[in-house]
């Protein structure tokens, strides 16, 4: 990721790399390469904080040390394939109610990851929580639970409806958080470890009258999510996290905007 970033024609940035307690010697290797590079800061956590808190650590560092409130969040398994990508992104104009900007992201199958056409309304969140929590326990044993799940899926609009209505949220592997959001917010909702961060971010934006916008800029390739790797290793742990975080999303959906701002405030 760093080498492809260094090839960008736009270089007016400061890069913070957060080693989220990888335990594989990555921090030592990065230190050997970049400790003398004034453009790069290396941070290491003493434990695995999860996606949200680790990113918030980097956001907080940039806000406090460089007074930056326009921060591009990228995964370590992201590659820049177009050397003009950052130039195009920095020139992209957005309104004062835009809190995040996303662009085209190709995955390992050469499929488009962004934007994610999905609702975050209460009915959809309740349906997801049903699937994540009840189905693993009861689905294979009780026909009634299968029928309820099938009924809920029938109520769900087709993906084409979301596309036509422009209902989406942005993928978290490459997302620009703007000053309209970060001037008062810490970044990502900190009480998740993995999964649902983007859904929850969209809920926070809806509650605080901010929008996500999509810029049709190409040039980034996402090799594989850390969440995908984890899912292959431990399906039960994945379901547990999805269930917990979907309930947190429902909780935030029901909170008034005032409390959302207090929770997300960086003061």
């Amino acid at each position: 990721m760093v080498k492809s970033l260094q090839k960008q024609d736009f270089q007016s940035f400061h890069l913070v790399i957060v080693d989220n307690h990888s335990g594989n010697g990555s921090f030592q290797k990065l230190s050997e390469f970049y400790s003398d590079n004034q453009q790069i800061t290396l941070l290491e956590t003493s434990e695995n904080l999860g996606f949200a808190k680790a990113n918030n650590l980097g956001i907080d560092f940039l806000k406090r040390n460089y007074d930056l409130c326009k921060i591009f969040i990228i995964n370590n398994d992201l590659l820049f394939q177009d050397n003009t990508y950052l130039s195009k992104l920095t020139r992209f104009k957005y309104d004062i109610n835009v809190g995040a900007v996303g662009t085209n992201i190709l995955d390992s199958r050469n499929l488009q990851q962004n934007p994610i056409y999905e609702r975050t309304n209460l009915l959809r969140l309740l349906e997801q929580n049903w699937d994540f929590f009840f189905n693993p326990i009861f689905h294979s044993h009780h026909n009634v639970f299968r029928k309820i799940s099938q009924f809920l899926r029938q109520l769900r609009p087709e993906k084409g409806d979301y596309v036509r209505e422009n209902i989406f949220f942005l993928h978290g592997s490459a997302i620009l958080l703007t000053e309209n959001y970060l001037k008062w917010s810490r970044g990502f909702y900190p009480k998740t470890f993995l999964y649902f961060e983007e859904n929850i971010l969209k809920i926070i934006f809806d509650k605080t009258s901010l929008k996500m916008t999509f810029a049709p800029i190409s040039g980034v390739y996402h090799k594989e999510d850390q969440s995908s790797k984890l899912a292959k290793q431990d399906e039960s742990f994945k379901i547990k996290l999805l269930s917990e975080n979907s309930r947190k999303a429902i909780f935030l959906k029901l909170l008034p905007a005032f409390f959302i701002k207090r929770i997300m405030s960086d003061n």
Side-chain angles (χ1 to χ4, degrees), residues 201-218:
L201 188 63
K202 180 63 166 61
I203 291 169
I204 292 168
F205 277 25
D206 289 343
K207 287 284 187 175
T208 56
S209 301
L210 289 173
K211 293 181 180 292
M212 293 181 169
T213 193
F214 177 74
I217 302 170
S218 299

Side-chain angles (χ1 to χ4, degrees), residues 121-139:
N121 61 4
L122 186 58
L123 179 61
R124 178 63 179 135
L125 293 173
L126 289 169
E127 179 195 354
Q128 288 172 320
N129 185 249
W130 173 272
D131 283 339
F132 298 146
F133 183 70
F134 288 105
N135 272 6
I137 304 173
F138 299 111
H139 189 278

